[in-house]
Amino acid sequence: MMRDKLCSGDLGDELRSVIDFDEMAGGLNKRRMIQSAVFKELVKLIDPGVKAWQPSKGRNNVIMFVGLQGSGKTTTCTKLAYYYQRKGWKTCLICADTFRAGAFDQLKQNATKARIPFYGSYTEIDPVIIAQEGVEKFKAENFEIIIVDTSGRHKQQDSLFEEMLQVEQATKPDNIIFVMDATIGQACEVQAKAFKDKVDVASVIITKLDGHAKGGGALSAVAATRSPVIFIGTGEHTDDFEPFKVQPFVSKLLGMGDIEGLIDK
Amino acid sequence: MFSMFRNLVGSKTLTPEDLKPVLDKMKDHLIAKNVAADIAVKLCESVSAKLEGKVLGTFGSIASTVKTTLTEACVQILSPRRRVDILRDAMDARQNKRPYVITFCGVNGVGKSTNLAKTQVLRLLRLDSSVGRGLAPWPRGRGFEPQPSTVRAPTGWVDVCFWLVENGLSVLIAACDTFRSGAVEQLRTHVRKLNALHPPSKHQGREMVQLYERGYGKDSAGIAMEAIASARDYRIDVVLVDTAGRMQDNEPLMRALTKLVKVNQPDLVLFVGEALVGNEAVDQLTKFNRALADFSQQQPPRLIDGIILTKFDTIDDKVGAAVSMTYTTGQPIVFVGTGQTYSDLRNLNARAVVTSLLRA
Ligand SMILES: Nc1nc2c(ncn2[C@@H]2O[C@H](COP(=O)(O)OP(=O)(O)OP(=O)(O)O)[C@@H](O)[C@H]2O)c(=O)[nH]1
Ligand SMILES: Nc1nc2c(ncn2[C@@H]2O[C@H](COP(=O)(O)OP(=O)(O)OP(=O)(O)O)[C@@H](O)[C@H]2O)c(=O)[nH]1
Ligand SMILES: [Mg+2]
Ligand SMILES: [Mg+2]
């Protein structure tokens, strides 16, 4: 039963096999023990053992967003900027997506609504140039959180992966965030790994957790990028955004209601 | 993967116990190929049912029996019982002096707006191929048939334009995503690019693609209705209705979609789903259909007529979502999206998909 839950949670192959279910299969009275063991195992899996990157007050922190097409990067950029802005940081946004139709308008409208300064261009077609110019401009103006949004791309698109590397080199980000959609299935692991291999991904954000999806693919992404999940997206609005918490996430993944008793044992 | 059946050699009659361990492995294989877990279980059950009680001889016959059974089950799921012939139906509608209306729906970020823009082009390409240029033979790629544009000389677009001058079907895109930032501008950009590919100068001064938009925040069902009326007035042949992405459990948004479909009665409701999606595929489709049925109070309800499977270029051989989606709805995959440019739209090749699915 637990095994089926894991299967229907979009866990990667490798991860599913970490837990040997046959070994654990005991009597019904052992159910709770098994649940507890699985729970602890999953909590361990989603903790890459790396401390999450934190921005430093009073200096420039450049954050670059990367991810597959439509995963929620542009929306999440504004969410993150807004999150820090409300905590008193001086934040801004840069649109380095010159590919997707309407990308700059999207970021511009989001930023305007949230009153966050932004930079982008309707005419420049090279995202590397925009990213570089934007970062220079905002650094000169002493912005603390400088967020760079990039186009969606996937590992099969060599030239776009190369472009991503160039944006990284031009902006020298302090943190690269891989944005992943909670509904993603078995392709997650290889895609996440490919991003990590190309640029220095250091954090993960899972989006669309307001839906039915539990985000099992996140475990694969964490394993592949060896990076902690830092935030989750829970809706389309700018404040539908929360810091990631391991235990509620895993208990939702396992479809377990009350987990308090399990973790303390 | 069929080497796992080797240990069945010598069984006289296959029993459920013989099959269980093997089918479990098969299930895992399908799940690893991104077939939704529930669907993988059901597929294995059907294979098991077909094999139980069979008497097996040599290894060759076991392997081929199992392979054929599974292959046929999958091909059957992927093969449309009903063909969606947009071109023919649009022509019919034109004859009746009314626009042919297609609504695109789906969850957030799957590719509705992009593939709607592509559909326009595919239609032109298909018209083109129907005038005599052959399709390249499959198998090619991982489960889709190349359209003429990918195999012809770069003058392809010019041919299409010439052809259009004679036959010109025109399109109105209705911007009914009035919520997501940049949604209207995204469509406007597509319209501009499409018109640059098919300039009015080549169509007796006619803009082949137009946008109907009323900005943000308005009722999408009303905008769709105005767009359709306008298409009728201006004799535009096809209306493509773009809708906002929505989560299948978001009741207010699902009600709004149902209203749009109910009041406008489109000729075709297409669900756009991405090949990246895992187990959620089943839940998404089930709940979109359920919402369309429950909230419309209409008998029979207008449900999803077909699927556009996008981002097929991102998944290598993890083609399982195609099976999950068709199994869940019983509706055909009308197009497969294989990239971000206008020519990246294909027809599904069921056998090629199944080959990828079963490959180790
Ligand atoms: N329900 C829900 N929708 C979300 C969430 N995050 C993003 N979205 C929606 O997902 C869709 C895609 O989001 P975008 O921000 O455009 O994604 P992107 O990664 O920038 O897309 P590309 O730039 O095209 O690669 C939009 O409809 C967003 O409103 C979330 O947490 N919940
Ligand atoms: N690789 C690839 N990307 C695609 C494909 N189809 C769409 N995309 C990309 O996916 C992203 C989202 O596409 P949209 O058309 O904006 O998706 P949508 O469903 O309209 O999104 P919302 O309206 O925000 O819900 C864009 O970056 C598209 O370029 C495809 O077949 N392959
Ligand atoms: Mg974006
Ligand atoms: Mg859209």
Side-chain angles (χ1 to χ4, degrees):
Chain A
M1 192 199 103
M2 188 64 88
R3 185 174 206 291
D4 287 345
K5 281 227 175 89
L6 293 181
C7 288
S8 60
D10 289 321
L11 298 188
D13 226 8
E14 231 172 85
L15 293 171
R16 265 185 282 128
S17 62
V18 167
I19 300 154
D20 188 339
F21 291 89
D22 294 333
E23 199 114 289
M24 286 194 211
L28 263 176
N29 53 341
K30 290 198 183 148
R31 192 169 150 250
R32 221 179 139 72
M33 217 186 73
I34 294 173
Q35 275 204 339
S36 166
V38 171
F39 185 85
K40 282 183 197 152
E41 201 60 42
L42 287 182
V43 168
K44 238 191 282 166
L45 278 176
I46 205 157
D47 175 7
V50 184
K51 217 175 156 300
W53 175 85
Q54 293 289 340
S56 320
K57 255 309 203 188
R59 54 165 286 240
N60 319 121
N61 299 276
V62 178
I63 303 172
M64 176 176 162
F65 274 60
V66 300
L68 294 167
Q69 286 91 352
S71 57
K73 294 174 294 301
T74 306
T75 311
T76 310
C77 277
T78 315
K79 289 180 177 181
L80 187 70
Y82 183 69
Y83 177 88
Y84 281 117
Q85 190 189 51
R86 279 201 313 186
K87 289 188 178 303
W89 298 68
K90 194 175 170 193
T91 65
C92 61
L93 289 161
I94 298 167
C95 173
D97 179 357
T98 55
F99 181 75
R100 164 151 171 199
F104 183 35
D105 288 293
Q106 185 185 3
L107 181 132
K108 193 171 163 181
Q109 289 169 18
N110 282 339
T112 307
K113 260 183 251 167
R115 299 171 176 275
I116 296 163
F118 60 89
Y119 183 84
S121 168
Y122 284 115
T123 47
E124 175 57 59
I125 51 163
D126 186 350
V128 182
I129 293 178
I130 297 180
Q132 188 159 21
E133 283 177 0
V135 168
E136 273 165 22
K137 169 181 144 67
F138 285 127
K139 273 188 172 173
E141 295 170 17
N142 295 319
F143 275 84
E144 293 174 299
I145 303 274
I146 302 171
I147 296 175
V148 184
D149 184 23
T150 63
S151 306
R153 68 196 80 225
H154 56 79
K155 73 176 177 70
Q156 292 85 347
Q157 296 172 314
D158 289 339
S159 59
L160 293 188
F161 258 53
E162 209 46 49
E163 175 199 282
M164 175 170 71
L165 181 63
Q166 286 172 22
V167 174
E168 181 191 32
Q169 286 163 351
T171 57
K172 300 188 183 55
D174 300 285
N175 185 22
I176 298 182
I177 299 178
F178 177 70
V179 178
M180 63 161 285
D181 179 326
T183 66
I184 192 170
Q186 299 293 328
C188 181
E189 204 161 343
V190 271
Q191 289 290 356
K193 185 172 185 318
F195 276 88
K196 174 73 176 187
D197 288 348
K198 196 70 186 182
V199 295
D200 189 16
V201 172
S203 315
V204 176
I205 293 181
I206 312 165
T207 62
K208 309 184 198 178
L209 274 168
D210 49 318
H212 172 267
K214 300 186 188 73
L219 296 173
S220 315
V222 168
T225 60
R226 300 182 299 282
S227 308
V229 181
I230 51 171
F231 286 95
I232 58 169
T234 56
E236 295 191 73
H237 296 277
T238 305
D239 54 0
D240 294 330
F241 194 58
E242 298 165 16
F244 176 76
K245 293 209 180 66
V246 179
Q247 289 174 1
F249 178 82
V250 173
S251 69
K252 190 182 171 198
L253 189 63
L254 292 174
M256 305 194 311
D258 175 29
I259 49 122
E260 294 302 321
L262 292 173
I263 34 170
D264 297 327
K265 276 173 193 165
Chain B
M1 68 171 283
F2 293 97
S3 58
M4 62 172 99
F5 291 88
R6 212 181 289 272
N7 58 9
L8 288 180
V9 183
S11 306
K12 298 177 293 297
T13 309
L14 283 176
T15 64
E17 292 72 46
D18 293 332
L19 289 165
K20 173 106 181 24
V22 177
L23 288 170
D24 276 352
K25 275 193 195 146
M26 189 168 88
K27 188 181 78 185
D28 285 350
H29 174 84
L30 292 172
I31 290 172
K33 291 278 180 158
N34 204 31
V35 176
D38 293 351
I39 308 295
V41 170
K42 286 180 184 152
L43 260 173
C44 290
E45 282 167 2
S46 79
V47 169
S48 173
K50 282 185 187 145
L51 290 181
E52 269 169 39
K54 280 233 163 82
V55 179
L56 291 168
T58 62
F59 166 68
S61 75
I62 296 170
S64 59
T65 311
V66 172
K67 189 163 185 166
T68 323
T69 314
L70 185 58
T71 305
E72 283 318 309
C74 292
V75 169
Q76 203 186 346
I77 291 166
L78 288 168
S79 305
R81 270 170 277 139
R82 190 174 53 79
R83 271 210 106 68
V84 174
D85 192 340
I86 295 179
L87 180 56
R88 188 198 58 205
D89 295 349
M91 291 293 204
D92 284 354
R94 173 153 83 167
Q95 228 114 65
N96 296 322
K97 298 201 165 44
R98 65 173 189 88
Y100 183 77
V101 181
I102 309 178
T103 299
F104 295 74
C105 63
V107 300
N108 303 87
V110 290
K112 294 174 291 298
S113 313
T114 306
N115 286 277
L116 163 149
K118 287 188 208 166
T119 304
Q120 152 69 358
V121 175
L122 181 82
R123 198 169 52 74
L124 307 179
L125 293 171
R126 293 174 100 212
L127 293 177
D128 189 37
S129 69
S130 69
V131 227
R133 288 182 183 80
L135 286 164
W138 80 278
R140 277 265 210 120
R142 298 178 312 275
F144 42 81
E145 298 168 7
Q147 290 290 333
S149 70
T150 56
V151 291
R152 269 186 298 141
T155 55
W157 288 112
V158 184
D159 294 349
V160 174
C161 290
F162 272 134
W163 192 85
L164 267 173
V165 174
E166 289 158 35
N167 293 273
L169 278 169
S170 50
V171 172
L172 184 63
I173 295 179
C176 296
D177 178 352
T178 62
F179 175 76
R180 208 210 67 216
S181 302
V184 176
E185 289 77 8
Q186 181 183 15
L187 293 179
R188 192 178 293 135
T189 306
H190 282 310
V191 166
R192 204 180 52 235
K193 287 187 184 166
L194 288 166
N195 278 321
L197 288 168
H198 303 278
S201 57
K202 296 222 165 110
H203 298 277
Q204 292 138 341
R206 196 165 183 203
E207 291 243 299
M208 292 312 281
V209 192
Q210 293 176 63
L211 181 67
Y212 190 93
E213 59 109 343
R214 285 292 174 267
Y216 294 93
K218 305 257 168 50
D219 172 46
S220 54
I223 296 177
M225 184 170 283
E226 290 169 25
I228 295 166
S230 157
R232 197 182 293 265
D233 292 349
Y234 292 96
R235 292 281 159 80
I236 297 172
D237 304 314
V238 180
V239 180
L240 302 177
V241 180
D242 186 32
T243 64
R246 65 202 75 216
M247 289 290 157
Q248 67 268 30
D249 285 324
N250 187 324
E251 188 178 320
L253 295 184
M254 293 308 292
R255 280 188 187 275
L257 176 68
T258 308
K259 177 180 162 195
L260 185 148
V261 170
K262 188 175 178 180
V263 302
N264 292 297
Q265 292 293 314
D267 296 275
L268 202 61
V269 178
L270 293 181
F271 178 88
V272 184
E274 52 177 28
L276 286 164
V277 68
N279 292 294
E280 279 295 290
V282 179
D283 196 70
Q284 287 175 4
L285 278 159
T286 311
K287 288 182 181 156
F288 265 73
N289 262 335
R290 192 183 301 157
L292 286 172
D294 291 353
F295 300 146
S296 71
Q297 297 174 335
Q298 183 188 331
Q299 279 307 329
R302 281 292 279 108
L303 302 178
I304 291 163
D305 301 305
I307 295 161
I308 298 189
L309 183 64
T310 62
K311 307 188 189 173
F312 210 71
D313 49 326
T314 68
I315 50 154
D316 293 333
D317 63 354
K318 297 191 190 318
V319 296
V323 176
S324 308
M325 290 187 194
T326 41
Y327 189 102
T328 306
T329 53
Q331 297 295 358
I333 291 175
V334 182
F335 301 120
V336 181
T338 60
Q340 293 170 282
T341 60
Y342 298 128
S343 54
D344 290 330
L345 203 54
R346 304 284 186 272
N347 296 120
L348 186 86
N349 182 316
R351 289 213 170 256
V353 169
V354 174
T355 306
S356 296
L357 189 68
L358 298 187
R359 198 179 296 134

